[in-house]
Amino acid sequence: MKLPNHVGIIIDGNRRFAKRLMKEPTKGHEWGYQKVKELIEWCKELKIKELTLYAFSLENFDRPKIEFDYLMNLFVKAFNELQEEKDIKKIKVKFIGRLNMFPDKVQKEMYNLMEKTKDNKESIKINFAMAYSGRAEITDAVRKIAEEVKFNGLDPKEVNEETIKNNLYLNSDPDLVIR
């Protein structure tokens, strides 16, 4: 059986899970975080080359303040733990999306983790899609291309699928996306 090289997982349903158990939403997020840690280990064992976790969409910024603050602290904890992982040399981490929307403490940990793993000869590349939406990604790509046209002389007639692909957040597409 041929396994996919790049798997995308849309992390969804933690609040619904907690509600079914009659628990606070934060308990569902904590449970989801533990499952993500397991998922990363499974991907390593299966020799999946790239994992994209759609972890926090633009719409998630509208969550109640208590839940939002909890999630921000959970992200900081998760990114710190990932930096301390014994196999840190075997992963390369990238964050994609509108990262500037996050509180400073979260941004700091994102950039620290990317910096710490940027030169690793990874066994797995892990992309975290944060402050992400497909439409935002397209919008951001179009803006970058427009800047190339305006400031660097790119001929609009030369804009093609390759130009767009080169301006997206990732250079690779998932072979399999799971929600």
Side-chain angles (χ1 to χ4, degrees), residues 119-137:
D119 295 324
N120 289 355
K121 304 293 184 247
E122 74 273 1
S123 60
I124 185 170
K125 182 176 183 182
I126 304 171
N127 307 303
F128 290 93
M130 308 282 290
Y132 176 86
S133 81
R135 288 180 181 180
E137 181 175 16

Side-chain angles (χ1 to χ4, degrees), residues 105-121:
K105 67 181 180 179
V106 178
Q107 287 184 52
K108 178 182 175 221
E109 295 308 321
M110 289 175 179
Y111 288 108
N112 285 345
L113 189 51
M114 285 192 288
E115 182 64 27
K116 186 169 187 171
T117 64
K118 73 178 183 182
D119 295 324
N120 289 355
K121 304 293 184 247

Side-chain angles (χ1 to χ4, degrees), residues 2 5 21 23 41 43 61 71 74-75 81 84 92 95 111 127 158-159 166-167 179:
K2 186 175 191 263
N5 285 317
L21 296 177
K23 304 279 185 188
E41 291 306 313
C43 288
F61 281 92
L71 284 166
L74 185 60
F75 287 141
E81 284 183 11
E84 301 303 319
K92 187 174 218 169
F95 291 90
Y111 288 108
N127 307 303
E158 293 176 5
V159 174
N166 290 336
N167 285 281
R179 179 176 184 177

